[in-house]
C-alpha cells in the first residue's frame, strides 16, 4: 500500500530514486485509470506496447486502446470490481498505433478501499503465447481434419480378440456403418465381433505373427457391417511397442475394397 | 323463415350483444336463446316489438373490426386471404340481420389487374355464375364513376331479378381501388344507411387489405430486384464471355474453311483461346451458383467471414485470425454478397497457393469508409506466375467494381500477400 502512494503526480520525475523510474524499468505495463476510464498514468512499457507516447495516451481513455470486441470484457471486470472489491484477471486485445493487435493479460483492481476509482492495472504481453497456442490448435485441427477426412478407418486398438478400439477416425462409418463413438471402448460392440468368424482366426494369427516379428501386416478379410452387409476390407497396420519391447497395442488403417 | 328472423331481430335489438354471440354459438336459433334470457314481461316486449318499423331495420354489430384488419394484414398470399374474405358473409349477416336476402356480398378490390380494366372477385357468397357475371359487369362500369368520397352507387341488374338492389361501396386500399359490393334481393336500407352501417367494416377492410397489398407489393419488388441483380451479374460475367466465344467460334469456323487452315497454326491459337474462355465461363457459372447459396446463409459480413474461416480451417493448418473492429457494420445486400465472395476467394487462394502459416482478416471503418484487409505471411504473389486459366483475381476485381469498391492485391513488405478493399460509402 505504501508503494501506491508513489502514484501521486508529485512523485513522477526521472530521478533514479523515484518509483516512476522503477516502474519505467519494468517489462510489464503499469496503468492508473481514473473515472470515465481515462488513463491517468502509464509507464514506459505501455509506450513500447502500443506505440503511443505517454502524453498522447494520457489524453485518451483505456477503452479506446481495447479492441471493440473486447470492451465488454473490460466493462464486465470493472462492474465486478465495483461489486466484489477484489482484483480481476482478464485477457484482452490492445490495438497499437500501427494497427497491430497485442494480446494482454491484465490484472486490475481499485486503489482505494471505498472507491471504485482510481483503478490500477498491470498488463503482460502474452501475444507470443497466444500465437503459439493458435499454431498448436491449428495443427491439431488440421491433423484432425486430415485423419477424419480420409475415406478409410484409421485406428489404434488393444491387442485382444475383440480388437477393442482406443481411437477410430470418422471413416469408420463408411467402412463399418457404425459411428466412431459406437465402437470405441464399448464392451457390447467390438470390431472383433464384426469380423467374419471364418476369417477371425486367421486375422488374429497373422497379426500376432507380424507383431512377433516387429513387422507390418496387410490382411484381407470379410466383415459384417451395421446393415448386415458382408464386405471385404484390407487392414494394413503394425504393432505398438514400449521402449522395452512389450506390445501396447496395434494401429493401422482399414479400407473398404468395395467387394 | 323470413318472419322468424324478423321477430328474432326485434327481440335481439333489446338485448346486449353477448346474447348474439351465444346465439351464434348455439347454431343461430336466435329466438329461442333470446327468449330464454329475456327476463321482462313477454306481452310488453311483444307490444314494443310490434311498434317498431320493420322495413330495412338494421343493427350495428359490436364487433372487433381491429381483429379483422389484423388478420387481413397478416395474410401472406391469396390462399390465406380468401377464407377471411369469405367469412365476411357472417359479419354482413350481423349488420343486415333484418334484410332477408342481404347475405349476398362480394368484395371486389382491384389489384394489379386494374390497369387492364378487369375486376377481381375476391369473395363469393354462392351467387349463381350468371348473377356474378352481371354484378361484375355492372360494378366494372360503376366503379369507374364513383370515387372514395362518394358513399355508394346503386347498380341496376339487367337480368330483371333485382327486386332489391346491389350497392357498390368504395374502398381505398394502399392506392388500389376496390369496392364492397352488397346485393340485396329483398327489403333493404337506403344506400346512405348501408354506407353508414358498413363504415367500420369498410375501414377495417381498408386498413387490413392496405397492409396486405403493401406487403405483397414489397415482396414483388424484392423478387424483381433480385431478378434484376441476377440479370446484371449474368450480363457482366457470363453474357460477355459467351458473346466473345460466339465471335471467336465464328472466326474459327471461317478459318477451318479457308486455306489458312493448312498449317494449322491459327486454328490452334483459336482453339486454345476458346478453351480458356470456355473455362472462364464455366468458372463464372460456378461462382454464380455458389454466390446464390451464400446469399441464403449469412446475414452479416462477420458471420460470412467466420463461416469461410471455419470452412478453410478444416482443410489447412493455417492460423486464421479475424480482427473485426466494426462489429456494428451495416451493409446493403449487394455489398454483403460481393464482400463475402471476395473474402471467400481470398481465403481459398491463401489455402491453395500461399504456403502461409498465418492469415489475418481485418475489418475497420473510418469516416464512413470500410477497409477490408486480408493478409498472409506466405511466399507472396508473383504476377508472372499467374496461370492463363486462373480467373479468381479477375472475378474478385469485377465483384469489387460492382459495388463501387477499390481492390488492391499486392505483396506485403514483410512477406506474403495483402488484399485490401476500400468501400467508400458503407452505411
Amino acid at each position: 500500500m505504501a508503494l501506491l502512494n508513489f502514484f501521486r503526480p508529485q512523485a513522477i520525475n526521472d530521478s533514479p530514486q523515484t518509483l516512476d523510474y522503477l516502474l519505467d524499468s519494468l517489462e510489464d505495463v503499469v496503468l492508473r485509470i481514473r473515472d470515465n476510464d481515462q488513463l491517468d498514468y502509464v509507464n514506459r512499457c505501455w509506450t513500447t506496447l502500443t506505440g503511443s507516447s505517454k502524453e498522447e495516451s494520457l489524453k485518451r481513455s483505456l477503452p479506446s486502446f481495447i479492441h471493440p470486441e473486447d470492451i465488454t470484457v473490460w466493462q464486465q471486470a470493472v462492474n465486478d470490481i465495483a461489486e466484489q472489491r477484489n482484483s480481476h484477471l482478464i485477457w484482452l486485445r490492445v490495438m497499437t498505433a500501427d494497427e497491430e493487435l497485442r494480446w494482454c493479460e491484465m490484472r486490475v483492481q481499485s486503489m482505494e478501499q471505498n472507491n471504485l476509482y482510481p483503478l490500477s492495472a498491470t498488463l503482460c504481453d502474452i501475444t507470443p503465447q497466444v500465437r503459439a497456442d493458435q499454431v498448436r490448435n491449428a495443427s491439431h485441427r488440421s491433423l484432425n481434419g486430415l485423419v477424419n477426412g480420409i475415406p478409410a478407418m484409421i485406428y489404434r486398438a488393444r491387442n485382444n480378440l475383440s480388437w477393442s478400439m482406443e481411437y477410430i477416425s470418422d471413416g469408420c462409418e463408411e467402412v463399418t456403418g457404425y459411428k466412431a463413438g459406437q465402437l470405441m471402448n464399448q464392451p457390447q460392440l467390438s470390431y472383433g465381433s464384426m469380423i467374419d468368424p471364418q476369417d477371425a482366426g486367421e486375422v488374429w494369427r497373422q497379426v500376432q505373427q507380424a507383431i512377433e516379428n516387429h513387422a507390418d501386416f496387410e490382411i484381407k478379410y470379410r466383415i459384417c457391417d451395421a446393415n448386415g452387409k458382408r464386405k471385404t476390407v484390407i487392414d494394413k497396420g503394425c504393432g505398438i511397442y514400449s521402449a522395452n519391447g512389450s506390445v501396447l497395442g496395434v494401429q493401422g488403417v482399414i479400407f473398404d475394397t468395395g467387394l | 323463415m323470413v318472419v322468424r328472423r324478423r321477430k328474432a331481430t326485434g327481440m335481439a335489438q333489446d338485448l346486449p350483444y353477448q346474447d348474439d354471440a351465444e346465439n351464434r354459438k348455439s347454431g343461430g336459433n336466435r329466438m329461442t336463446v333470446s327468449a330464454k334470457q329475456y327476463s321482462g314481461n313477454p306481452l310488453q316486449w311483444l307490444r314494443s316489438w310490434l311498434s317498431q318499423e320493420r322495413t330495412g331495420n338494421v343493427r350495428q354489430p359490436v364487433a372487433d373490426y381491429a381483429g379483422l384488419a389484423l388478420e387481413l394484414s397478416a395474410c401472406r398470399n391469396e390462399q390465406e386471404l380468401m377464407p377471411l374474405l369469405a367469412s365476411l358473409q357472417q359479419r354482413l349477416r350481423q349488420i343486415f340481420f333484418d334484410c332477408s336476402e342481404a347475405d349476398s356480398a362480394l368484395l371486389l378490390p382491384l389489384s394489379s389487374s386494374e390497369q387492364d380494366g378487369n375486376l377481381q372477385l375476391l369473395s363469393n357468397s354462392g351467387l349463381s355464375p350468371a348473377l356474378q357475371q352481371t354484378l361484375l359487369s355492372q360494378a366494372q362500369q360503376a366503379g369507374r364513376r364513383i370515387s372514395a368520397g362518394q358513399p355508394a352507387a346503386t347498380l341496376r341488374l339487367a337480368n330483371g331479378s333485382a327486386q332489391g338492389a346491389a350497392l357498390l361501396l368504395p374502398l381505398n386500399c394502399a392506392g388500389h381501388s376496390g369496392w364492397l359490393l352488397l346485393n340485396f334481393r329483398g327489403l333493404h336500407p337506403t344506400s346512405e344507411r348501408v354506407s353508414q352501417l358498413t363504415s367500420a367494416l369498410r375501414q377495417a377492410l381498408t386498413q387490413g387489405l392496405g397492409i396486405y397489398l403493401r406487403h405483397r407489393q414489397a415482396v414483388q419488388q424484392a423478387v424483381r430486384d433480385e431478378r434484376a441483380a441476377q440479370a446484371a451479374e449474368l450480363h457482366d460475367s457470363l453474357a460477355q464471355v459467351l458473346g466473345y466465344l460466339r465471335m471467336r467460334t465464328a472466326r474459327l469456323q471461317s478459318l477451318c474453311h479457308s486455306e489458312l487452315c493448312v498449317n494449322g497454326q491459327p486454328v490452334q491459337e483459336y482453339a486454345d483461346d476458346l478453351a480458356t474462355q470456355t473455362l472462364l465461363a464455366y468458372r463464372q457459372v460456378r461462382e454464380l451458383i455458389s454466390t446464390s447459396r451464400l446469399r441464403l446463409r449469412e446475414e452479416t459480413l462477420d458471420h460470412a467471414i467466420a463461416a469461410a474461416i471455419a470452412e478453410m480451417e478444416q482443410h489447412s493448418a493455417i492460423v486464421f485470425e479475424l480482427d473485426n473492429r466494426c462489429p456494428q457494420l451495416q451493409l446493403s445486400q449487394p455489398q454483403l454478397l460481393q464482400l463475402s465472395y471476395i473474402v471467400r476467394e481470398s481465403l481459398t487462394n491463401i489455402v491453395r497457393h500461399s504456403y502461409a502459416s498465418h492469415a489475418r482478416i481485418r475489418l475497420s471503418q473510418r469516416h464512413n469508409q470500410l477497409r477490408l484487409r486480408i493478409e498472409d505471411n506466405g511466399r507472396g504473389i508473383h504476377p508472372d506466375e499467374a496461370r492463363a486459366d486462373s480467373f479468381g483475381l479477375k472475378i474478385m476485381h469485377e465483384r469489387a467494381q460492382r459495388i463501387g469498391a477499390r481492390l488492391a492485391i499486392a505483396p506485403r513488405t514483410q512477406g506474403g500477400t495483402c488484399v485490401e478493399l476500400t468501400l467508400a460509402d458503407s452505411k
Side-chain angles (χ1 to χ4, degrees):
Chain A
M1 203 54 201
L3 280 177
L4 294 176
N5 291 328
F6 283 92
F7 276 99
R8 291 179 189 143
Q10 60 266 30
I12 299 173
N13 60 55
D14 288 338
S15 163
Q17 308 305 319
T18 63
L19 182 61
D20 194 44
Y21 184 79
L22 172 66
L23 294 176
D24 277 346
S25 72
L26 297 177
E27 287 294 316
D28 285 346
V29 171
V30 180
L31 301 176
R32 185 172 58 196
I33 304 131
R34 56 183 166 85
D35 52 353
N36 295 327
D37 292 339
Q38 195 69 29
L39 285 169
D40 196 26
Y41 170 81
V42 296
N43 70 344
R44 188 172 294 160
C45 187
W46 171 262
T47 301
T48 309
L49 178 78
T50 64
S52 297
S53 67
K54 281 190 178 186
E55 293 72 24
E56 188 187 335
S57 298
L58 295 179
K59 293 175 188 167
R60 293 172 57 181
S61 67
L62 177 62
S64 70
F65 287 94
I66 299 176
H67 191 279
E69 290 181 331
D70 295 344
I71 286 176
T72 51
V73 176
W74 162 254
Q75 290 169 338
Q76 185 60 47
V78 173
N79 291 340
D80 290 347
I81 292 167
E83 286 177 10
Q84 300 163 14
R85 294 287 161 194
N86 54 5
S87 69
H88 273 68
L89 190 68
I90 53 175
W91 281 21
L92 41 75
R93 287 168 289 178
V94 170
M95 298 184 293
T96 67
D98 58 357
E99 296 194 327
E100 289 296 317
L101 285 181
R102 305 301 297 177
W103 276 98
C104 293
E105 185 180 74
M106 173 189 267
R107 182 168 286 283
V108 58
Q109 55 274 310
S110 289
M111 292 177 68
E112 296 174 5
Q113 191 70 32
N114 299 317
N115 294 315
L116 174 61
Y117 291 100
L119 295 163
S120 62
T122 52
L123 271 81
C124 177
D125 184 359
I126 55 167
T127 307
Q129 294 94 304
V130 171
R131 295 261 185 269
D133 282 348
Q134 287 173 335
V135 170
R136 199 162 38 248
N137 290 340
S139 175
H140 178 261
R141 181 199 69 218
S142 173
L143 182 62
N144 206 41
L146 171 68
V147 168
N148 288 317
I150 291 175
M153 174 175 151
I154 297 169
Y155 69 90
R156 185 187 300 130
R158 293 192 180 90
N159 184 30
N160 57 31
L161 285 169
S162 298
W163 301 114
S164 308
M165 294 292 174
E166 293 176 355
Y167 173 81
I168 316 177
S169 68
D170 289 350
C172 170
E173 191 168 2
E174 192 170 318
V175 176
T176 67
Y178 292 104
K179 291 189 183 298
Q182 291 178 280
L183 280 177
M184 268 192 285
N185 293 318
Q186 297 287 337
Q188 66 274 24
L189 178 65
S190 69
Y191 183 73
S193 66
M194 296 169 66
I195 300 174
D196 190 310
Q198 292 184 339
D199 296 345
E202 184 61 17
V203 169
W204 174 258
R205 191 190 64 76
Q206 288 196 33
V207 171
Q208 298 314 307
Q209 188 178 355
I211 288 173
E212 196 173 317
N213 297 329
H214 284 236
D216 298 343
F217 58 84
E218 184 172 340
I219 320 163
K220 187 185 278 190
Y221 54 88
R222 292 163 294 176
I223 63 167
C224 183
D225 72 7
N227 301 316
K229 186 183 168 190
R230 193 172 296 267
K231 56 173 64 172
T232 303
V233 297
I234 293 175
D235 187 344
K236 185 173 175 59
C238 61
I240 308 168
Y241 311 94
S242 67
N244 63 10
S246 60
V247 179
L248 300 175
V250 291
Q251 61 190 9
V253 55
I254 299 171
F255 299 93
D256 182 358
T257 61
L259 300 173
Chain B
M1 183 66 185
V2 172
V3 172
R4 206 176 107 188
R5 274 193 181 184
R6 284 181 177 170
K7 281 181 181 174
T9 306
M11 182 186 288
Q13 267 189 315
D14 301 329
L15 295 171
Y17 177 69
Q18 54 265 34
D19 290 348
D20 289 345
E22 288 176 17
N23 184 34
R24 284 197 301 280
K25 285 179 195 168
S26 70
N29 191 345
R30 187 180 293 262
M31 188 169 191
T32 309
V33 174
S34 301
K36 275 181 187 171
Q37 295 184 355
Y38 184 69
S39 57
N41 184 335
L43 192 61
Q44 190 182 358
W45 168 79
L46 185 60
R47 193 176 297 121
S48 165
W49 179 75
L50 288 171
S51 66
Q52 288 177 6
E53 185 188 355
R54 307 269 26 101
T55 304
N57 194 11
V58 293
R59 56 192 306 276
Q60 182 78 286
V62 191
D64 178 17
Y65 286 116
L68 173 66
L70 275 176
E71 284 184 281
L72 287 170
S73 63
C75 289
R76 288 171 300 180
N77 48 45
E78 286 195 4
Q79 283 72 34
E80 291 182 4
L81 188 68
M82 289 303 180
L84 272 178
L85 296 178
S87 73
L88 286 176
Q89 297 299 327
Q90 181 64 29
R91 292 176 184 272
L92 289 164
R93 284 193 196 102
Q94 292 166 19
I95 297 174
F96 302 105
F97 194 85
D98 240 14
C99 304
S100 60
E101 300 294 335
D103 54 350
S104 303
L106 298 168
L107 184 71
L108 303 166
L110 285 180
S111 60
S112 55
S113 58
E114 185 181 15
Q115 289 79 11
D116 306 327
N118 295 321
L119 289 176
Q120 279 192 347
L121 185 65
L122 284 191
S123 84
N124 181 353
S125 62
L127 293 174
S128 69
L131 186 54
Q132 275 185 33
Q133 192 55 45
T134 304
L135 287 172
L136 274 172
S137 172
Q138 293 279 330
Q140 185 110 7
Q141 295 171 12
R144 298 279 175 271
R145 294 195 300 271
I146 63 169
S147 65
Q150 292 175 287
T154 306
L155 304 181
R156 292 178 185 171
L157 299 181
N159 62 1
S161 64
Q163 293 176 349
L167 292 175
L168 202 59
L169 296 124
L171 304 171
N172 188 2
C173 312
H176 291 253
S177 299
W179 293 272
L180 178 64
L181 178 60
L182 304 177
N183 182 43
F184 300 95
R185 277 180 283 168
L187 297 173
H188 63 86
T190 62
S191 62
E192 288 76 14
R193 183 72 175 139
V194 171
S195 178
Q196 182 191 349
L197 288 167
T198 57
S199 65
L201 175 64
R202 284 185 292 133
Q203 190 180 355
L205 289 172
T206 301
Q207 288 175 342
L209 284 173
I211 295 170
Y212 164 76
L213 290 170
R214 272 195 293 273
H215 177 251
R216 201 175 64 171
Q217 282 170 341
V219 170
Q220 287 170 344
Q221 185 60 43
V223 170
R224 280 195 295 272
D225 290 348
E226 184 62 27
R227 285 179 182 157
Q230 288 182 348
E233 289 204 6
L234 280 172
H235 174 269
D236 292 349
S237 55
L238 197 58
Q240 288 189 7
V241 179
L242 287 176
Y244 180 77
L245 283 173
R246 189 177 61 80
M247 287 190 297
R248 299 294 276 179
T249 46
R251 178 71 180 137
L252 180 64
Q253 190 179 30
S254 64
L255 270 177
C256 287
H257 293 291
S258 72
E259 57 190 20
L260 286 170
C261 190
V262 174
N263 60 14
Q265 184 61 29
V267 177
Q268 181 65 43
E269 287 176 11
Y270 274 89
D272 291 347
D273 188 31
L274 283 174
T276 305
Q277 295 299 322
T278 307
L279 197 59
L280 172 59
Y282 170 69
R283 174 74 194 273
Q284 285 174 334
V285 170
R286 276 177 45 204
E287 296 303 337
L288 283 172
I289 293 168
S290 64
T291 303
S292 300
R293 286 178 183 157
L294 273 180
R295 192 190 306 268
L296 296 175
R297 285 205 298 261
E298 287 89 21
E299 292 180 353
T300 61
L301 185 58
D302 56 336
H303 286 171
I305 296 173
I309 288 176
E311 186 181 328
M312 298 304 158
E313 281 179 335
Q314 296 300 313
H315 308 298
S316 78
I318 298 172
V319 174
F320 291 94
E321 189 180 358
L322 174 57
D323 177 4
N324 178 12
R325 301 189 184 190
C326 34
Q328 305 299 323
L329 180 66
Q330 295 284 316
L331 292 170
S332 67
Q333 190 64 24
Q335 288 172 337
L336 171 62
L337 181 68
Q338 304 301 353
L339 291 177
S340 301
Y341 168 83
I342 289 169
V343 169
R344 193 169 278 271
E345 181 66 20
S346 300
L347 297 187
T348 305
N349 285 339
I350 290 171
V351 171
R352 292 176 65 187
H353 308 300
S354 74
Y355 294 88
S357 64
H358 282 76
R360 179 166 56 197
I361 303 99
R362 179 188 297 157
L363 274 171
S364 56
Q365 197 172 24
R366 186 173 290 179
H367 306 309
N368 228 21
Q369 188 177 66
L370 173 72
R371 199 168 67 153
L372 168 65
R373 192 180 169 93
I374 303 162
E375 51 191 339
D376 66 72
N377 64 346
R379 65 176 190 174
I381 192 166
H382 301 283
D384 300 340
E385 295 177 12
R387 282 163 40 205
D389 61 347
S390 177
F391 308 107
L393 300 184
K394 174 181 162 61
I395 295 174
M396 280 167 68
H397 278 287
E398 287 175 2
R399 298 266 177 194
Q401 283 170 3
R402 242 170 257 170
I403 53 171
R406 200 171 60 245
L407 184 74
I409 303 170
R412 280 170 83 231
T413 49
Q414 311 94 317
T417 307
C418 176
V419 175
E420 186 162 312
L421 178 138
T422 313
L423 182 61
D425 59 343
S426 64
K427 286 186 278 186

